[in-house]
Amino acid sequence: MEAKYFPITKWSDEDKPREKLMSKGKSALSNAELIAILIVAGSRNESAVSLSKRILASADSLNALGKMSVSELMNFKGIGQAKAIMIIAALELGRRRRAEDTVELTKITSSKLVFDIMQPVIGELPHEEFWVLFLNNSNKVISKSQLSKGGISGTIVDVRLVFKLALEINATSLILCHNHPSGTLKPSDADIKITKKLKWAGDSLDVKVLDHLIITETKYYSFVDEGIF
């Protein structure tokens, strides 16, 4: 027997997502309830919470949901362009917040800390990006900068620009990072070549290249940990 549909407006106040957030706080809400607040309303035969649960079940996780495009979200009945954009914008703000929270003057004591800083920035991207973390003489991150987008090679990563930026902010060392959207952690010949080139230039300018990390969505490869340096 098909369950009878009850719109959220007929729910008790303690069960309505907005009222629940106001009375109990944001942590009391499920992922589906938080998304329901974003999309406001479901369809004629489905509440916003039920629709959100269906979307999450299909996506399997918030990370996977954050990778969906507007058109993919619009495949769900009850999700139009405006609602799809709201979901994408909210998840992107969450990703940027995580990136901001981890970088400010973090002292680098392990490759895992570098991964924690850069995974929210590049770990889930569908394309390759090359970034540099600049450190002071206390091994604290003072800045991070994107050097290239879409690939990695000696012609794309400008060695002169890397050290120009380092000298401008008085960085004494740096850490190289790039992502592999494919999920593979094995460094390519181009990865190794550009790392050696930057390390040699750093030694000449007394700005040490401390490590190079290859980052995926859940794992990382450290050149230092693997004994390549």
Side-chain angles (χ1 to χ4, degrees), residues 21 27 40 44 51 54 71 149 184 219 229:
L21 188 149
S27 61
V40 183
R44 179 179 298 178
L51 173 57
R54 186 158 56 86
S71 59
K149 178 178 178 179
T184 180
K219 299 178 182 179
F229 265 34

Side-chain angles (χ1 to χ4, degrees), residues 124-193:
E124 300 172 14
L125 296 178
H127 58 271
E128 195 169 299
E129 292 189 2
F130 191 102
W131 285 68
V132 179
L133 296 181
F134 297 99
L135 284 63
N136 62 19
N137 57 12
S138 297
N139 270 13
K140 290 184 177 181
V141 177
I142 54 177
S143 180
K144 69 180 189 293
S145 181
Q146 181 196 90
L147 267 295
S148 71
K149 178 178 178 179
I152 173 173
S153 73
T155 57
I156 294 176
V157 179
D158 190 331
V159 175
R160 293 169 300 179
L161 177 59
V162 171
F163 292 100
K164 177 178 181 290
L165 293 171
L167 295 172
E168 284 177 350
I169 59 176
N170 295 317
T172 59
S173 59
L174 55 87
I175 297 173
L176 313 170
C177 303
H178 79 281
N179 63 313
H180 278 180
S182 65
T184 180
L185 290 174
K186 184 179 179 181
S188 66
D189 290 340
D191 296 337
I192 296 171
K193 182 177 179 180

Side-chain angles (χ1 to χ4, degrees), residues 27-225:
S27 61
L29 275 69
S30 67
N31 291 340
E33 289 171 326
L34 290 170
I35 293 172
I37 290 175
L38 289 174
I39 64 177
V40 183
S43 62
R44 179 179 298 178
N45 298 313
E46 186 176 35
S47 71
V49 173
S50 178
L51 173 57
S52 299
K53 287 180 179 178
R54 186 158 56 86
I55 293 170
L56 284 169
S58 177
D60 193 47
S61 69
L62 287 176
N63 278 337
L65 181 60
K67 295 177 183 179
M68 285 188 171
S69 66
V70 170
S71 59
E72 287 173 329
L73 285 169
M74 288 175 64
N75 286 328
F76 293 96
K77 184 179 179 181
I79 297 294
Q81 186 180 70
K83 291 180 180 179
I85 290 171
M86 286 284 287
I87 293 170
I88 289 172
L91 291 171
E92 175 62 14
L93 281 172
R95 186 191 69 81
R96 294 186 186 186
R97 180 187 174 188
R98 282 193 296 143
E100 287 182 358
D101 285 346
T102 55
V103 70
E104 294 302 325
L105 293 181
T106 300
K107 184 173 183 178
I108 300 300
T109 57
S110 68
S111 57
K112 176 62 166 57
L113 280 176
V114 179
F115 174 75
D116 290 341
I117 291 172
M118 293 305 301
Q119 192 281 335
V121 180
I122 60 175
E124 300 172 14
L125 296 178
H127 58 271
E128 195 169 299
E129 292 189 2
F130 191 102
W131 285 68
V132 179
L133 296 181
F134 297 99
L135 284 63
N136 62 19
N137 57 12
S138 297
N139 270 13
K140 290 184 177 181
V141 177
I142 54 177
S143 180
K144 69 180 189 293
S145 181
Q146 181 196 90
L147 267 295
S148 71
K149 178 178 178 179
I152 173 173
S153 73
T155 57
I156 294 176
V157 179
D158 190 331
V159 175
R160 293 169 300 179
L161 177 59
V162 171
F163 292 100
K164 177 178 181 290
L165 293 171
L167 295 172
E168 284 177 350
I169 59 176
N170 295 317
T172 59
S173 59
L174 55 87
I175 297 173
L176 313 170
C177 303
H178 79 281
N179 63 313
H180 278 180
S182 65
T184 180
L185 290 174
K186 184 179 179 181
S188 66
D189 290 340
D191 296 337
I192 296 171
K193 182 177 179 180
I194 193 61
T195 302
K196 290 180 176 179
K197 189 174 182 179
L198 286 162
K199 191 174 186 303
W200 178 85
D203 290 342
S204 300
L205 295 169
D206 201 26
V207 179
K208 293 187 178 298
V209 177
L210 299 180
D211 201 352
H212 185 170
L213 267 69
I214 297 171
I215 293 172
T216 66
E217 186 172 349
T218 58
K219 299 178 182 179
Y220 69 94
Y221 180 102
S222 161
F223 278 46
V224 169
D225 293 351

